[in-house]
Amino acid sequence: MSKNIDLTQEGIQVKRSCCFFCHQNCGVLAYVKDGRILEIEGDPNNPTNQGALCCRGNIALKHLDHPARVNYPLKRKGKRGSGEWERISWDQALDEIAAKLDQIRNEFGAEAVTTAGGTQRTDDWARRRFMNLYGSPNGFHNAHLCWIPTFMVETAIYGWCPFETDLTSSRCLVQWGHNPGASGMPEMRGINDLKQKGLKVIVIDPKFTETASKADLWLPLRPGSDLALALAWLNVIIWEGLYDAAFIENCCVGFNELAQHVKDYTPEWAAPLTWLDPELIREGARMYATNKPGNIQWGVAIDQSGTPAGAAMHARALLRAVTGNLDAPGSDLLTGPSKEFITDEEMEANEWLPEEQKAKQIGSDRYKITSWPGYGKIAQLCKDVWGKAPTAEWMCEAHPPSVYRAILTGEPYPVKALLVSATNPVNSYGESLQVLEALRKVDFLVTCEYWMTPSSMLSDYVLPIAGALERPTFHSVYGCSDFVIATQRAIQPMYERRTDFDFWRDLGIRLGQAEMWPWETLEEANYYRIYPLGYGVSSYDEFVEKVFYHFPEREYYKYGRIGFATPSRRVELVSSTLAELGYPSMPTYIGPAENENDDPDLAEKFPLVLTTGGGFMPFHHSEHFQIEELRFLRYEPYMDINPTTADKLGIKDGDWVWIETERGRIKQKANLTQGIHPRVIVTQRGWWYPEREACEPELGGCLESNTNVLTSVADKDCDPIGGSWANRGLLCRVYKVESSTITSGSNGKDGK
Amino acid sequence: MARYAMVLDTRRCIGCHSCTVACKVHNDLPVDMIYNPVTTVGPVGVFPHVHMEFIPLLCMHCANPPCVECCPTTASQQREDGIVWVDENKCVGCKACVMACPYGARIPNHEKGVVQKCDFCKDRLVLGKEPYCVATCHQRARIFGDLDDESSEVYRLVNQENVVRLLPELGTEPYVFYIMD
Amino acid sequence: MKPKEDIWGWMLAVDFFFAGMGGGMLVIIGVVEMFLGEGRTSLIANFIAPLFVALGALLLILELGRPFQAWRVFLNPKAILTIGAWCMLMAIGFGLIYATFGIKALPWSGWVVIRKLVAVFCVIFGLVVATYPGVLLGRHKSRPFWTGFGMVTLFLTSSLVTGSSAHLLCNLILPPAKLEISTILPYLAAGLLAFQLIFWILYMWMKKTGTTDREAQAIQSWINGDASIGFWGGFLFAGSLIPIVLLLIPSAISYLIGVILVLLAGLWMRINVIHAGKTRTWLPGEERYRGRLPLGDEAFLKAWLKD
Ligand SMILES: Nc1nc2c(c(=O)[nH]1)N[C@H]1C(S)=C(S)[C@@H](COP(=O)(O)OP(=O)(O)OC[C@H]3O[C@@H](n4cnc5c(=O)[nH]c(N)nc54)[C@H](O)[C@@H]3O)O[C@H]1N2
Ligand SMILES: Nc1nc2c(c(=O)[nH]1)N[C@H]1C(S)=C(S)[C@@H](COP(=O)(O)OP(=O)(O)OC[C@H]3O[C@@H](n4cnc5c(=O)[nH]c(N)nc54)[C@H](O)[C@@H]3O)O[C@H]1N2
Ligand code: SF4
Ligand code: SF4
Ligand code: SF4
Ligand code: SF4
Ligand code: SF4
Ligand SMILES: [Mo]
C-alpha cells in the first residue's frame, strides 16, 4: 500500500470495490494480484466520491489485516468475559448456535431470540429473512436514532421520505441538526460547489460546526428545542403568507386547521425555549420560504432528541409541504421504491412471519410507527400507490431499550438469546450501564464482528466477518432508493472470515430454511436482484464491470400522476395515519426530554444542557480506535465547553473533566470553544479504549469516556411515536477530574 | 519548464484530515510522521458571533528555501520545477533543515535516521497522477498544478482569487497559496 | 508543546560548548604565540584545546541520525554547517600540530616560522569554531529567540570566556614555562564576563523592545517564565557576576571555583539557547494542533505492534 509498489506490473487486476466505513459507500479501485490487494485508491468514476476518499477510506488496507482483527470463529472457554477463547471451525460454531436457537424456540418461543444491529453496514435483508423464517419479530437496530422514525413519520404524511435532495437548482439548503462537514464528506463537496454558485445555507445546530462555519446563517438553538423552532417557522411562513398557495390548494388537505394550530407558536413564544432571538428565527424561516426551490436536509439530531422527536420531525416535514418543496425540481424528491430491481423488502420474506408473531414485537404496543402496527399500515399504502413497500428491516423493529429491559426483567416475556451483528451496543445504544448488564445477563450471546469489541468480549461465540473489500456491495440507501450503485469484492475473504449473508444463510439452512435460500453466494443473490434491470449481463460481477450503477430517469411531480401514498392521496397536513395510530394529527409542543422549564429541580442539580454526539473525523461511531494512523490524530476524547463556563468551573483547556447526568458520569478532556452557548455541553460519542484489556472488568475501557452512559432510555424520555431515546438535549453537570482519579477505570457510578 | 504549486482553498476545507492520512499511508510514513497537518483556527470571536477556518499545511516548496541552503550534505535540493526534496541516501540527519524550515515541513524519521518531507508526490507526477493529498480530498480544497501553464487551474486561482502566502515577511516565497474568505 | 517536530538536542549544545571552548582556547594560544612567543600557555591547554574541538565534533557526529555517513557534511560549501565542519577539522589539526611544538624532543620544535604560521591558522580556525554556532543560529528567521546578529556576539564571547577560563584552569594544573600572561588571564576572563553580562542584558532588552512580537514572546520565559531563575540567578548571577568577583581575588581556590562556575554557566547557556529555538513562529492554529498530538509512548501505539 504505498508509492513503492509498481501498479503497472504484470498480472494486476483492478477491481471495482467500495468503502463501507460509513454508508456513503465511496467507490474504491483495488489493485489485486495473486489474491492480494496491493493498493487501493478512490474510484474516479464512482458518482459518489469521484475519486476522493476520507481518512477512513485511506486506511482500508490497514483495517483489512490489522493485528487485532478477529480472523477465526471463537468459542468462549472460561467464564463470560474472561477473555479466554477456543478457536473452532465454522461448522462447529453454526451447528452449536443452530442447536441452541432451536432449543430456545422450543422452550420459550421464537420471540425469545433477538438480534441487534447498528447503522447500515451490511446486507441486513438476510438477517431479516432469517428472523422472519425463524419466526421472531424481535430484530432491531439503533435505527430509532438514525433516520428511521423520520422516514416513517414523513411517509405517513406525504407517502415517502424525501431523502434525495435535488440540489443542482436549489437556492436554499437547511442543514437541520446535520453536519456533513464531519459526517458526509461527498455530500459536503456538493454543497461547497453549489455555495460558490450562490446557494444559501442555513445551519441549525447548537455547535459551530464545520458546516456552520461555511453557512450563511447559523441558528445555535438550545439542544432538543427543534420542535419549538420548527413550529415557529411554520407560524412565520403561514402567517406571513410565505407559503405555496397553489401547492396547498392542489395537493394538501387540512391547511386551515394547521394554520390555526400553529397560530400561537410565534417566534416570540419560541425564543425562550430555543434561546434564539425572535428576529433570527424569522430570518431563517423567511430565507427558506422565499428562496425557492429549497431543501431541508435530513440530519440525525432530531431523531435522537427523545420525547419531542416525533413531533419535531412531523413539524419539519410540514415545512416542506407548506412551501411546496416536494418532488419539484430543486426541492426534496419523493422517489419511491425502485420498481426496476428487486428491493430489500422483497428479499426479506416478511409475508412468512405469522401475524401472531408480529403482534409479539417488543415495544410495538407503545412505539407504533416504527413497528408492525404503523409499518403495516404505511407499507400497505405504499404498495397501493408505489407498488412496493419500504424495507421492513429498519422501518419495523423491536424497541431496543425495551428488549434490553426484557432481558433483565423477563417482561413482557423472557428474552434468551441476542445475536449481535454490525453493532457495538455498549457504545452506541442508550444508557450503556443497562445495555452492559443485559449483555452480561442474556443466556446466549453471539457476535459477528471484525474486532473484539466490548460486546464480542462478553459473547459465547464470536464470528469473523468479511469487510467491504471482501464482499460485493449493493448500495441502495437502506433498500429505499430508486437507484443502485453496485460494487464487487476485490478479493475472497481472508483467513476464515465470511460475510454476514453467509452467516444468516448457513444458520437458516441448519434451522430448516434450506429451500428459502436458493442463492449460494451474495453475488448470486445480487444477480437475482439486478436481473430485472435488463442489462443482459450474465453475472453480478459483469454488471459491476460493465454497468456499475443504475439511476432511473428522473420524473418530477409524480404525485400528479399517482397521488401521494396517504389515505387521501394528498399531503396530509392533518395526518389521518398518525391519528389512527393514536397520535396527534398535528405537531404539538412538547419540551425537550430533560429541561429547565418542566423540571426545575433537576435543572438545579444539573444546570448545563448536554448533547451527546455529532460525528467527528476520523472515527465512525465506536470504530477505528484501533487504527493507529487515525487514532494518532485524535487519541483522546474531547468535550466542548464555553470558556466563560469553564472559567467559572476552574477548568482549563485540555483538563480532564467529569460529565455527569442522572444516569452516571464519564470523563473527557475539555475543549474550550466560543462555538457553543455558555450553558451547552457537547460530548464526543463512540469512545472506548481497545488498547486496554479485552476482558472483565476492563472490557476495553468501554464505560470510561462513553457518552451513552449519560443518555436516557426511560419510557418518559422516549418519543411516543417512534420510540427514539434521548441523546440530545439532556441536563448535566461538569466538574474537573482530580488528577488522582484520571487513570482509574471508573464505571460511571462510582464516587458520586 | 514547469513550476509546480498548490492552492489551498480554505473556503472549501472542512478540516477532515483525510489528506494527512492519505499522505501518511501511501508514502509509508511511520505513524508519528505528518507531512501535511490541517489546523483549526477558531472559533474566533465571542459566541454566537464567531468564525472558523481550517488551514491545510505542507511544504511550501519555497522559491527561496532556507532548508536547501543550510543542508551540509546537499541531500536537500530543489529541482528546476521547484520541487524541494531530500535525497535520503545523502541525508545524515543533522536536522539543520528541520530548524531552518519556517513551516514545520521537515520531520526526522527515527527509523531511518534521515529527515523527510513532502516532495509534492514527485513519483506520482511521473505517472500523470495528482499528489495523494489532492486526489483524496472530497472537498477539492487542494488544487495542484503548474503555475507556468496559463491554462492550469492553479494559474487561474493564483491570478484571479485573493491568495495569500504564509509568513511572507521571511522572504521564502512559498509556492503554496491560500485562498482566504 | 509536544513533539513531533524534532529539534536539536542537548548533544549539539554540548558540542557547541566544547568546540566553542576549544576554539576560544586556540584563539588565545595563537594570539599569545603571535605576539608574545612560545611557552606562555600551558602544554595541557595546548593539547586539550584541539581535543575539546574534537570532542565537540564527536558529539556532533553522534547527534546525527546516521553517524556513519558523517563525512557527507563536508559537501555543501554554501552551508554554514559544512563550513563549521571543515573549520573544526582544521582547528583540530592545527591545534594538535601547534601543541606538538611544545614537546622539545620532537625535531620540529624549533621551526619558528612554521610555528608562527600554525599559530595564525589556530587563530583563524579557532575564531570560526568559536563563532559559527552563533552565525548558524542567528540566521534562523523563524526561530525568534535566535534570529539576528546578537547570537554571533554571544557565542563568540562565551567561547572566549570559557576558553580563557579553561586556560586558567590548565595553568593551575601545569603552569607554562613563562608565566607573564598567567597574571593577565583572570583579568581577561573577568573582563569578558563583564562584557557578556552586559551584552546578555542588552540582548534581552533588544528582543523585548525589538522588531517583532514573536521575539518579545520568545524571550518571555527567560525574563520571567520557566527559564528565568536559571537565567538571572544561575547564568547571570552565579555564572557571570560571582566569577567576576572570584577571578579578581588572586587565589587558586577562588580561581578554581570561579572557573567551574563559568564553565557550568557556559554549558547552561548553550543547552538553554538551543532549547529556546524549539519555539518556532507558529503558523495559524499550529500550536494547538501539535499540542494535542500524542507524545509517542501512549498505550495505543504499542498495543498492536506486529512482530
Ligand atoms: N465521521 C463520521 N461520519 C459519520 C458517522 C460517524 O460516526 N463519524 N456516522 C454516520 C451515521 S450512522 C450517521 S446517522 C450520520 C449522521 O450525520 P449527521 O446527520 O451530521 O449527525 P451528527 O453528526 O450525529 O449530528 C449533527 C449535528 O447535530 C448537532 N446537534 C446536537 N444536538 C442537537 C439538537 O438538539 N438539535 C439540533 N438541531 N442539532 C443538534 C450536533 O452538534 C451535530 O453537529 O453520519 C454518518 N457519518
Ligand atoms: N449518544 C449517542 N449515541 C449514538 C449516536 C449519537 O450521536 N450519540 N449516534 C447513533 C447513530 S446515528 C448510529 S447509526 C449508531 C451507530 O451504532 P453502531 O452501528 O453500533 O456503531 P459502530 O460503532 O459503527 O459499530 C459498528 C460495529 O460493527 C462492526 N461492523 C462494521 N461493519 C460490519 C459488517 O459489515 N458486519 C459485521 N458483522 N460487523 C460490522 C464494527 O466493527 C463495529 O464494531 O449509534 C447511535 N448512537
Ligand atoms: S468512510 Fe469515508 S471513504 Fe469510506 S464511504 Fe465513508 S466517506 Fe467514503
Ligand atoms: S482532505 Fe481536503 S477538506 Fe479535508 S482537511 Fe484535507 S484539504 Fe481540508
Ligand atoms: S517549506 Fe520548509 S522544507 Fe519546504 S521548501 Fe520551504 S523551507 Fe524548505
Ligand atoms: S537533515 Fe539531511 S536534509 Fe536536512 S540538512 Fe541535514 S543532511 Fe540535509
Ligand atoms: S503532495 Fe504528496 S507528499 Fe506532499 S503532502 Fe501531499 S501527499 Fe504528502
Ligand atoms: Mo446513524
Side-chain angles (χ1 to χ4, degrees), chain B residues 35-100:
Chain B
Y35 285 174
N36 54 353
V38 183
T39 67
T40 306
V41 182
V44 179
V46 177
F47 177 91
H49 306 289
V50 289
H51 62 93
M52 173 163 70
E53 251 127 38
F54 303 99
I55 313 286
L57 299 168
L58 74 165
C59 167
M60 303 284 143
H61 295 276
C62 307
N64 200 357
C67 61
V68 170
E69 189 186 274
C70 76
C71 172
T73 64
T74 70
S76 275
Q77 27 193 303
Q78 184 159 35
R79 311 199 309 189
E80 260 182 73
D81 58 14
I83 292 180
V84 175
W85 66 292
V86 178
D87 182 341
E88 285 176 27
N89 295 319
K90 292 187 184 167
C91 174
V92 296
C94 71
K95 295 193 243 176
C97 55
V98 177
M99 303 309 288

Side-chain angles (χ1 to χ4, degrees), chain B residues 54-179:
Chain B
F54 303 99
I55 313 286
L57 299 168
L58 74 165
C59 167
M60 303 284 143
H61 295 276
C62 307
N64 200 357
C67 61
V68 170
E69 189 186 274
C70 76
C71 172
T73 64
T74 70
S76 275
Q77 27 193 303
Q78 184 159 35
R79 311 199 309 189
E80 260 182 73
D81 58 14
I83 292 180
V84 175
W85 66 292
V86 178
D87 182 341
E88 285 176 27
N89 295 319
K90 292 187 184 167
C91 174
V92 296
C94 71
K95 295 193 243 176
C97 55
V98 177
M99 303 309 288
C101 170
Y103 303 95
R106 292 180 162 259
I107 305 104
N109 180 329
H110 293 292
E111 290 166 21
K112 295 187 174 176
V114 300
V115 164
Q116 292 177 298
K117 65 180 285 295
C118 157
D119 62 2
F120 265 172
C121 288
K122 62 181 174 51
D123 299 341
R124 242 168 97 84
L125 302 184
V126 178
L127 304 173
K129 294 191 167 182
E130 293 182 306
Y132 291 114
C133 59
V134 172
T136 216
C137 176
H138 276 296
Q139 309 311 319
R140 302 212 184 93
R142 291 178 177 258
I143 302 102
F144 178 83
D146 174 6
L147 210 50
D148 282 351
D149 172 3
E150 296 191 8
S151 65
S152 70
E153 176 82 352
V154 282
Y155 182 87
R156 189 183 66 75
L157 292 170
V158 168
N159 288 291
Q160 289 177 12
E161 298 285 345
N162 187 12
V163 292
V164 297
R165 293 165 159 190
L166 296 181
L167 304 178
E169 66 277 19
L170 300 183
T172 48
E173 290 188 40
Y175 267 64
V176 169
F177 300 85
Y178 289 81
I179 304 179

